[in-house]
Amino acid sequence: MELKLVTNQKIAHKRVFLRVDYNVPLRKIAHDFKVVDDARIRRSLKTLQFLIENKSTVIIATHLGRPKGHFQANLSTKPLAESLAKIVQRQVVFCPALKFSELKTCIDQAPPGSLIMMENLRFFPGEELNDQKWARQLASLADVYINEAFSTAHRKHASIIGLPQYLPAFAGFGFNEEVNQLSQLISRPKRPFVVIVGGAKISDKVAAVKNLTKIANIVLVGGGVANNFLAADGYNTANSYLQEKKTVNGQKSNYIPFAKNLLRQTKRRRFLKDGYIPLPKIVYPTDVVAAKSLTAHTKKIIQLYSQDEKHQLDDHLMYLDIGPKTIKLFREIILGAGTVFWNGPMGVFENDAFATGTREIAQAIAKSSAYTVVGGGDTLAAVDKFGLSHRFDYISAAGGAALDFLSGKMLPGVKPLVREN
Ligand code: ADP
Ligand code: MG
């Protein structure tokens, strides 16, 4: 898949509507809000520099939080404008307008070549509804549309799918890079391709896991997600976390049937590696670290294959990390990989007592000579905590959009940017 990219001629001295994702954490200091972490802002710099060099007038637009169509003082984009101004060392005109006519006046008054930040897109009721009048109004402000917000490409909002109907539309450099990286995983991964899934929110991951299971040579499952696979294979998971599934009729359900199905479908598939007995395609922990609460300090290692443990397990125990044997097995598989994709911590890494699995797996991926891609909000927080963020080939900050892309879906925000031949 090739995306439409901007060229100098298309944007020089033009007005560009730049959709970014500056949905960053803010903190209130005295009376002002300040940006706590500007990583997402920095991701748009390559595109911004290109626009600055070409003397474009740039209307920068982002969402921030979930204000649901109303002004909310703590979700104003003003601190983002200030943070961006510091980073690019130029003035950023902030337009506080909440009415289209006022927004237009503010933009018209800014000198050509300005960087202009408009208010939070989600203050405007038309944004999330993809209201066509709102989309046309926004489009009337610019000559060209650039999307630099891959992380919201799974949303059918006006600034994502409405605007490109009315303006020549292009992918920003960061957007294009994200699509290239993720495409490579699902189309031509260097083998063996090892996928590692963990974390708690299996609901977000089922579609991606299903698709990646078809593509990968082996899928290693840890964290809370592994509990579903253990339960599916008949292990006692005691009081371990199993995410509930929302059903239409309000009945309680979970993801154990999903895990069961996937295990059944892959039953005859085997991963062969030197020195191993053939491994199943989906590998879940053989031992776990268990405790009675997330904040506990006393812990116990449980061998899942021991029959004793199967029958004499304390009902209050929760599986909170992968055990040492599992770490060893996962490490060896990772070190022999050609490509690794990792999403989801291996345990409750926020508590040092249950951080070992996540740290060791992160270190193994960092050490591996494989091509390594890491994604997921909490996974990135974990690698940051361990100081390993710069040890991977690609870090995806796109969360839900990346998982949707890896499930093989054409994202609504990507579609209008695909180059037709
Ligand atoms: P990501 O944001 O990287 O996609 P998730 O949001 O799915 O990851 O899950 C992250 C959370 O999963 C972390 O807060 C971590 O504490 C939790 N977690 C990991 N392993 C377990 C477990 N065995 N039981 C309960 N929670 C877990
Ligand atoms: Mg998360």
Side-chain angles (χ1 to χ4, degrees):
M1 184 187 337
E2 265 191 63
L3 299 185
K4 293 182 274 185
L5 294 180
V6 280
T7 57
N8 305 51
Q9 301 95 304
K10 277 169 187 144
I11 47 119
H13 301 279
K14 296 256 176 73
R15 268 196 190 179
V16 175
F17 186 100
L18 181 66
R19 175 46 158 116
V20 292
D21 178 1
Y22 288 179
N23 189 21
V24 298
L26 298 177
R27 191 188 306 140
K28 195 167 187 178
I29 298 169
H31 296 289
D32 291 327
F33 287 92
K34 294 264 181 268
V35 172
V36 181
D37 176 0
D38 61 9
R40 278 175 179 248
I41 298 179
R42 291 182 183 277
R43 280 183 168 244
S44 69
L45 288 186
K46 194 173 165 201
T47 297
L48 263 177
Q49 290 301 353
F50 184 73
L51 296 172
I52 292 169
E53 278 161 28
N54 283 284
K55 305 204 165 31
S56 314
T57 302
V58 192
I59 304 160
I60 303 163
T62 183
H63 70 284
L64 180 60
R66 295 176 183 266
K68 302 244 174 264
H70 302 284
F71 174 78
Q72 213 177 296
N74 62 332
L75 295 177
S76 168
T77 56
K78 188 160 182 256
L80 307 180
E82 290 161 357
S83 174
L84 177 64
K86 273 197 205 123
I87 296 171
V88 293
Q89 306 252 310
R90 348 171 109 239
Q91 201 202 342
V92 176
V93 179
F94 173 63
C95 288
L98 296 172
K99 277 195 193 133
F100 177 72
S101 55
E102 288 164 12
L103 175 62
K104 185 168 164 36
T105 308
C106 180
I107 290 169
D108 287 343
Q109 281 171 354
S114 299
L115 298 182
I116 304 161
M117 172 85 70
M118 65 174 279
E119 253 309 357
N120 189 342
L121 283 164
R122 291 189 187 163
F123 286 172
F124 301 89
E127 168 63 9
E128 290 184 72
L129 299 170
N130 185 26
D131 178 71
Q132 289 307 289
K133 185 179 166 208
W134 167 243
R136 275 199 305 270
Q137 282 179 328
L138 278 183
S140 73
L141 299 171
D143 307 304
V144 171
Y145 166 86
I146 300 178
N147 191 342
E148 188 55 306
F150 178 81
S151 42
T152 48
H154 56 323
R155 307 272 182 226
K156 291 181 178 161
H157 298 167
S159 66
I160 310 283
I161 61 166
L163 271 171
Q165 285 183 272
Y166 304 109
L167 289 176
F170 302 95
F173 297 126
F175 191 115
N176 185 53
E177 169 78 358
E178 184 87 27
V179 167
N180 283 344
Q181 292 285 346
L182 298 177
S183 300
Q184 207 166 317
L185 289 182
I186 48 179
S187 59
R188 38 178 194 286
K190 188 163 174 264
R191 295 186 182 275
F193 178 20
V194 178
V195 168
I196 308 153
V197 192
K201 279 175 35 197
I202 188 171
S203 55
D204 291 354
K205 310 184 187 205
V206 283
V209 169
K210 218 169 165 174
N211 193 39
L212 288 172
T213 301
K214 287 185 209 145
I215 301 163
N217 296 90
I218 191 160
V219 180
L220 311 178
V221 189
V225 170
N227 297 333
N228 298 278
F229 287 87
L230 289 169
D233 241 0
Y235 289 92
N236 179 359
T237 56
N239 195 28
S240 297
Y241 178 71
L242 288 169
Q243 192 183 8
E244 262 182 38
K245 185 179 179 176
K246 285 194 196 115
T247 55
V248 237
N249 53 15
Q251 273 182 330
K252 278 195 179 169
S253 173
N254 57 35
Y255 291 89
I256 298 172
F258 161 78
K260 242 183 209 164
N261 258 326
L262 208 60
L263 288 173
R264 196 170 46 223
Q265 284 163 16
T266 55
K267 212 169 184 171
R268 291 212 307 274
R269 302 286 210 87
R270 288 288 183 270
F271 176 74
L272 292 162
K273 198 180 169 297
D274 302 342
Y276 280 114
I277 51 162
L279 286 165
K281 178 125 186 201
I282 296 174
V283 181
Y284 51 70
T286 59
D287 59 348
V288 289
V289 179
K292 285 189 182 160
S293 83
L294 299 179
T295 50
H297 295 291
T298 43
K299 51 190 185 181
K300 182 177 178 190
I301 291 165
I302 296 177
Q303 306 300 325
L304 290 165
Y305 288 100
S306 118
Q307 288 301 317
D308 295 349
E309 293 295 349
K310 226 173 178 175
H311 299 298
Q312 298 171 1
L313 200 60
D314 179 344
D315 286 348
H316 300 291
L317 283 179
M318 293 189 264
Y319 299 169
L320 299 175
D321 196 6
I322 55 175
K325 283 188 186 154
T326 306
I327 293 175
K328 188 165 179 282
L329 175 68
F330 283 12
R331 276 185 67 94
E332 284 183 40
I333 295 168
I334 291 164
L335 292 173
T339 306
V340 175
F341 172 68
W342 175 34
N343 171 285
M346 294 291 101
V348 181
F349 71 93
E350 295 91 340
N351 179 347
D352 285 342
F354 312 112
T356 312
T358 308
R359 192 189 315 107
E360 296 246 356
I361 294 312
Q363 280 167 347
I365 301 170
K367 193 174 160 202
S368 139
S369 59
Y371 189 76
T372 55
V373 180
V374 176
D378 293 287
T379 312
L380 299 196
V383 299
D384 225 28
K385 179 177 163 173
F386 307 138
L388 293 169
S389 302
H390 302 288
R391 302 277 307 276
F392 308 103
D393 291 302
Y394 189 69
I395 292 251
S396 165
L403 288 171
D404 270 12
F405 191 93
L406 292 173
S407 76
K409 266 188 240 158
M410 171 55 93
L411 305 191
V414 173
K415 202 168 173 213
L417 310 177
V418 176
R419 183 142 85 202
E420 290 145 22
N421 291 314

